Amino acid sequence: MFTSCDSKDIPALAVMLRGLHGLHVAHVPHRFHDRASEAELQSFLAEAMAQGAQLRAYRVGHVPRGYLMWRWRLSEATTLGHAQRRAELEHIWVEPSWRRRGVARRLIAGFEAEIAGQGAEGWTTTVHAFNAPSRALMLGAGATGAVEVLEKRFQAAI
């Protein structure tokens, strides 16, 4: 069941955020660290919600088994670009024991129905190069490449 999240869900969402973040720490340790406490992860989610982030959960027996976080990315028309009403999908995570059951696809379908009903033109997301499963999920949902970000890292001075 796809439902909105509120402050009561933050402890369960923080556990899932630790899993999502741990994946990034393991693959991109030069950018991410794993020193955040449970309280800090909960605070991160509470602040995101206070700043307009929308969190949705896929629940089984009222327990979140996966979540999705998104925000509106609205822009006015400029000299070079059109006005846009898009949503940015920032996080998606499904508990490992609930994967391969269509939970992530259902989260995305619920997200798309919600934002389309609110006049969105579409959505964007960022997928790290190491995360082939997430990339496949987004492509499977109909997303296509829009911008490629390249990074060059320097070796640390000895």
Side-chain angles (χ1 to χ4, degrees):
M1 173 169 64
F2 179 81
T3 62
S4 296
C5 297
D6 60 30
S7 60
K8 294 183 299 265
D9 294 309
I10 287 178
L13 297 174
V15 171
M16 287 189 275
L17 175 57
R18 178 156 320 274
L20 172 63
H21 188 65
L23 180 67
H24 291 85
V25 170
H27 290 278
V28 198
H30 63 276
R31 190 171 304 138
F32 300 105
H33 65 78
D34 62 357
R35 297 184 299 266
S37 69
E38 202 67 25
E40 289 171 318
L41 292 174
Q42 290 182 25
S43 178
F44 170 86
L45 290 167
E47 288 175 26
M49 290 173 83
Q51 295 169 356
Q54 303 291 313
L55 283 100
R56 304 296 181 258
Y58 181 83
R59 299 173 195 272
V60 177
H62 303 290
V63 177
R65 299 300 184 185
Y67 86 99
L68 180 146
M69 183 169 93
W70 66 274
R71 296 176 202 250
W72 282 113
R73 295 295 182 219
L74 311 174
S75 62
E76 300 294 325
T78 67
T79 302
L80 301 175
H82 299 289
Q84 293 187 7
R85 183 170 176 79
R86 296 191 162 275
E88 182 177 353
L89 192 165
E90 293 184 7
H91 297 177
I92 187 167
W93 179 258
V94 175
E95 289 182 349
S97 65
W98 284 88
R99 292 184 186 156
R100 304 233 178 260
R101 299 182 193 200
V103 172
R105 285 191 311 275
R106 286 193 281 277
L107 281 165
I108 291 174
F111 159 67
E112 287 182 337
E114 181 177 357
I115 64 172
Q118 296 178 33
E121 298 167 9
W123 56 270
T124 59
T125 193
T126 301
V127 177
H128 285 276
F130 72 83
N131 200 339
S134 184
R135 184 175 195 282
L137 173 66
M138 300 308 156
L139 292 171
T144 59
V147 175
E148 186 174 1
V149 176
L150 304 175
E151 175 182 58
K152 179 180 180 180
R153 296 199 13 90
F154 296 120
Q155 286 190 315
I158 299 175

